Amino acid sequence: MATLRVREQHVAVFGESGSGKTVLVSSFYGAAQEQTFQKEGLYRLVADDVGQGNRLRQNYLGMKNAARAPEPTRFASTAYAFTLQLKKHPKGSSSAAAFDELRLVWHDYPGEWFEEEPSTEQEAARRLESFRALLRSDVAVILVDGQKLLDRAGEEEKYLKSLLWGLREGVVRFTADLLDDGEPLVDFPRIWILALSKADLHPDMDVHAFQDLLIEKAAGDVDALHQVLKELVQVPEALSLGEDFMLLSSARFEADRIEVDRRVGLDLLLPVACLLPLERLVRWAERIEIPRRWLDRLADNAAAIAPLVGGAAPWFSKVPRFGPFAARTLPLLAAALQHSGPTLRSINAKARADGDHLRAVLTQFRLDLEQGVQDDLLVTGTR
């Protein structure tokens, strides 16, 4: 039996208690189980743990059918693993040479662990273990609670400073235990996105206004967190915080109903997790002297994914994509990632027509990112 080839991306979600993390992941998974998505989508989103998937869907249906928000989880750290199952690749397609499945692991961090001390040694050990897993993800999302921003209208800096200070202090306290034998980390969330959760509470705020608010009210605290994180990693120049912003809303919440189809930004999470690290890696490699052994390691997923999002460029077949030569592919990947707009849509349309589902999914992700920027839901760094 052939071995299934799986590419895995990890997203770490940080947020205080009540910031909407459980609702977010429930809506993300539940929406993908709707019949419309199942019939028309290019892939199926499957929870690796059936019981976990059923609980998330139960949360989603409770919101949809009974206007019942999920119960908050306290001191519970959960990693949700989802697999994107594609239809079979046609023989000879470029997708067939890449991988069979794409897995997203969503690490949900309990906000109480930043706010309260654990009550038992077991809970303290679990906290540290979870934190280490979080800090080895590909992308981190820091949730800014839209409700708390509303509650502190006019003095938002008090909430923002508290949020960022709490996260920074948590990192500082655990630093010694987070390092690998005292050495700075290679794997890390190299991209930390600041995201407004419950964005439906701020209908007049686009992502640029959110970015401006954070910079105006808490630029110093964002920078202080950035400096602390840089002390944890190898090649600290290859770490982004305060450059990427997005809006997120799991649904539209009203007094007597929850409209789960009124989501904001949630459909961007998969494209962000899959492609943003790839794009950022290319830029970093162009301007930063990254040791070859680390670059090869970081470039593994990039070398597999980029040929698919870049179209059927013939020179990709001649370039070694793995091992000690992977770094050489980066200039070529940079050229491939220049595709956008009409060219990208053309590649996507051909992939759909050919039944090349993996290429269709990944090019659609790039189109979704472009659309997110155009719709003022996403700001991505340019460095």
Side-chain angles (χ1 to χ4, degrees), residues 131-153:
F131 210 56
R132 287 178 61 85
L134 284 164
L135 292 183
R136 284 160 174 75
S137 298
D138 300 287
V139 174
V141 179
I142 302 174
L143 296 182
V144 175
D145 190 329
Q147 180 63 60
K148 291 185 177 178
L149 276 187
L150 270 185
D151 294 342
R152 291 157 181 79

Side-chain angles (χ1 to χ4, degrees), residues 182-292:
E183 293 294 320
L185 306 173
V186 175
D187 299 326
F188 199 75
R190 295 287 176 165
I191 303 172
W192 291 67
I193 300 172
L194 292 161
L196 175 65
S197 70
K198 307 174 188 174
D200 56 298
L201 298 175
H202 299 265
D204 298 326
M205 180 181 287
D206 66 17
V207 71
H208 304 288
F210 174 60
Q211 178 184 13
D212 288 349
L213 178 70
L214 280 169
I215 292 174
E216 179 187 357
K217 304 280 187 176
D221 298 278
V222 172
D223 185 59
L225 176 60
H226 194 186
Q227 295 304 318
V228 165
L229 294 173
K230 285 166 70 173
E231 295 174 5
L232 289 178
V233 298
Q234 312 252 13
V235 193
E237 301 89 346
L239 188 153
S240 170
L241 173 63
E243 301 179 54
D244 303 274
F245 302 84
M246 67 187 303
L247 303 187
L248 290 172
S249 178
S250 307
R252 183 180 178 85
F253 290 78
E254 298 185 354
D256 57 351
R257 63 177 176 171
I258 301 175
E259 297 178 86
V260 293
D261 57 344
R262 301 285 295 275
R263 300 181 300 278
V264 174
L266 214 52
D267 299 336
L268 294 175
L269 281 174
L270 270 174
V272 161
C274 293
L275 298 182
L276 210 55
L278 166 65
E279 296 183 358
R280 200 59 50 84
L281 173 62
V282 169
R283 288 187 202 153
W284 285 333
E286 288 175 341
R287 66 182 180 83
I288 300 171
E289 192 65 33
I290 301 177
R292 174 63 61 85

Side-chain angles (χ1 to χ4, degrees), residues 166-186:
L167 184 54
R168 180 171 63 87
E169 288 303 297
V171 173
V172 169
R173 286 175 58 195
F174 303 136
T175 293
D177 295 315
L178 295 174
L179 300 177
D180 288 333
D181 296 326
E183 293 294 320
L185 306 173
V186 175

